[in-house]
Structure formats: C-alpha cells, structure tokens
Amino acid sequence: MLKLRARRVRCPLVRECMAEFLGTFVLMLFGCAAAAQVKTSNETKGQFLSGNMAFSVGVMSAMYLTKGISGAHLNPAVTLSFCVLGKVSWSRLVPYSLSQVVGAFVASGVVYLVYYDALMTFSGGVLTVYGRNETASIFATYPSDYLSVGRSFFDQVVGTGMLLLCILGLEEKRNTPAPSELVPVVVAAVVLGISISMSANCGAAINPARDLGPRLFTLAAGWGTEVFTCYNYWFWVPLVAPLVGGIFGSLMYLIFIDWQLPDPDQLERISTISEKLAKKEMS
C-alpha cells in the first residue's frame, strides 16, 4: 500500500494563505453552486433560502477545515478588522486578501463547469448582466433597480458591521464564549441571519473577495466588461463598503462590549465571591 510522506510547508505565511484560499474556495463553491441551481431551474430546484443556507454551510465547513491554520478569515473585511484590532499582523492583510479573492475566482470557475449546460440552456448561450435570463448574479452581487448607490453602500456597511459585531465576542472568556468546537456553527448562523434579513437590496455580499473573485471570473468567461460597468460602475460598492462596515462593527464591539467587560483580575474576584456565597447558601 502506497504511503504518502507528510510534506508540511515550512513557511507559516504560505500555509496560512493556502488555508485562506481553500476555505474561501469551499465557501464560494457551496454558495455559487446553489445560486446556479436555483437560477437555471427557474426556482424549481430550490428557492431564495437555498442560496442563503448554502453560503452558511460553506462558511461552517470552511471554518472547520481551516480555522486551526489561519483562523479562517475567508473575508478581507474580517482580516482588515483583525489587523485594526491588533489580532493579526498587518503583514497578513494583502496576502490573505489575495488568497481569498483567488479562492473565490477558482470556485466560480468550478461552478461554471459543473453547471455549464444548465447555464447555456437557461441563457440561450447569451451571457448577460441584464434581463430575465441574466446569469451574472449567480456569481457576483448586483443591486436591485430601485436602489441608489448611497443606500447600497449603507446596506453593505450595516451588514458587514453586524457580522463583525456578532462574531468578535464568540471566544471572549470574560463574557459568554461559545464552545470552541461550535464557533463555526455560530458564525454560520450569524451569516444566515444576515443573508435572510439583509440581502434583498444588493445580495448581502459583506465580503469583498466573495464579490470580486466571481466578478473577475465572469469578466474572463464571457460576460464581458458589463459586469464592472453596469449600474453606473456599481462594482466598487461591495469592495469598499464591507471594509468600512467591518471596521465600524469592530469599533462598536470595542466601545460597547470589550471596554465595558471586567478586567481579568476583577472577574476572578467576582467569581471567588460568587463561589463563597454559593457555599454559604448550601451550608
């Protein structure tokens, strides 16, 4: 029987970038494949909730795969926020972000190949951003017709802000931390909550890599420059707004939660007093 020798990559940064690439690939493969299935079947093989749930399962699976190597950021907005908070070195920001974008790009290519026949049948062979048979939204996000640029920017700031606000405290020992084994499940639930409540306006990208990687793929695969020029060059919104939203959510967490929690020494004294009171009540 053939035995494979372990070949651990020596450079920590390379290992971490490999993990971010693979994690984002898994996340996007689940999400875009579900979107393709729903779209090309005219919602006979899934509905609106299907894509939201698939992205959440993708987040959970990707985190279980890669959290022990890179922390499973899977999102430049998360990486940037962690850099601002001092949780991650600034030297990781660009390599992580590039790995995430490439992972999303490759995942889009795999989904395109898996659903190629369905895409061509549904679209009549015409790959477009507009119209009833458009297929670009399977991969990247696009705004609803009624939405202004300013409102869509605000939408993405709020969505990403909620993401960071809700996940930053999951491992905070001074508060009510989630069991480490269940952190990916809780993060997936947060993503699902955001998706089913804030995706009507412009798809709830809340992740620049999730949008840019697939958009670059559709540019290369035949949808053309329209994926960047449509809706008055709207593409920059899901790139910039999540970064702003991530920092905003992180600052909210610091101001309202982190700075207000008791210091470790104070927390230990409170625990000791509580134990003494409990013993007195028992006696």
Side-chain angles (χ1 to χ4, degrees), residues 79-176:
T79 304
L80 175 62
S81 297
F82 282 12
C83 289
V84 170
L85 294 172
K87 294 177 177 289
V88 174
S89 168
W90 283 96
S91 65
R92 261 50 179 174
L93 177 59
V94 173
Y96 276 29
S97 298
L98 289 175
S99 301
Q100 293 154 2
V101 170
V102 175
F105 181 96
V106 175
S108 300
V110 173
V111 171
Y112 176 78
L113 293 175
V114 169
Y115 279 100
Y116 178 82
D117 293 335
L119 283 165
M120 292 301 121
T121 300
F122 176 81
S123 66
V126 180
L127 303 178
T128 182
V129 176
Y130 297 103
R132 183 177 178 276
N133 292 335
E134 64 82 17
T135 47
S137 63
I138 289 172
F139 300 95
T141 61
Y142 294 89
S144 298
D145 293 332
Y146 58 77
L147 200 64
S148 67
V149 172
R151 200 74 68 189
S152 63
F153 190 94
F154 181 68
D155 173 279
Q156 288 297 287
V157 168
V158 172
T160 316
M162 285 299 297
L163 174 67
L164 269 298
L165 177 63
C166 292
I167 68 174
L168 279 174
L170 291 179
E171 297 180 296
E172 174 56 70
K173 304 300 182 184
R174 296 175 295 162
N175 205 340
T176 50

Side-chain angles (χ1 to χ4, degrees), residues 216-260:
L216 289 171
F217 172 78
T218 52
L219 171 67
W223 278 263
T225 57
E226 199 171 46
V227 299
F228 281 96
T229 61
C230 66
Y231 298 102
N232 195 26
Y233 295 89
W234 182 84
F235 77 93
W236 66 270
V237 173
L239 296 184
V240 178
L243 301 176
V244 176
I247 295 174
F248 179 72
S250 301
L251 291 177
M252 284 187 65
Y253 176 78
L254 282 179
I255 295 169
F256 287 91
I257 303 297
D258 186 75
W259 294 346
Q260 313 312 323

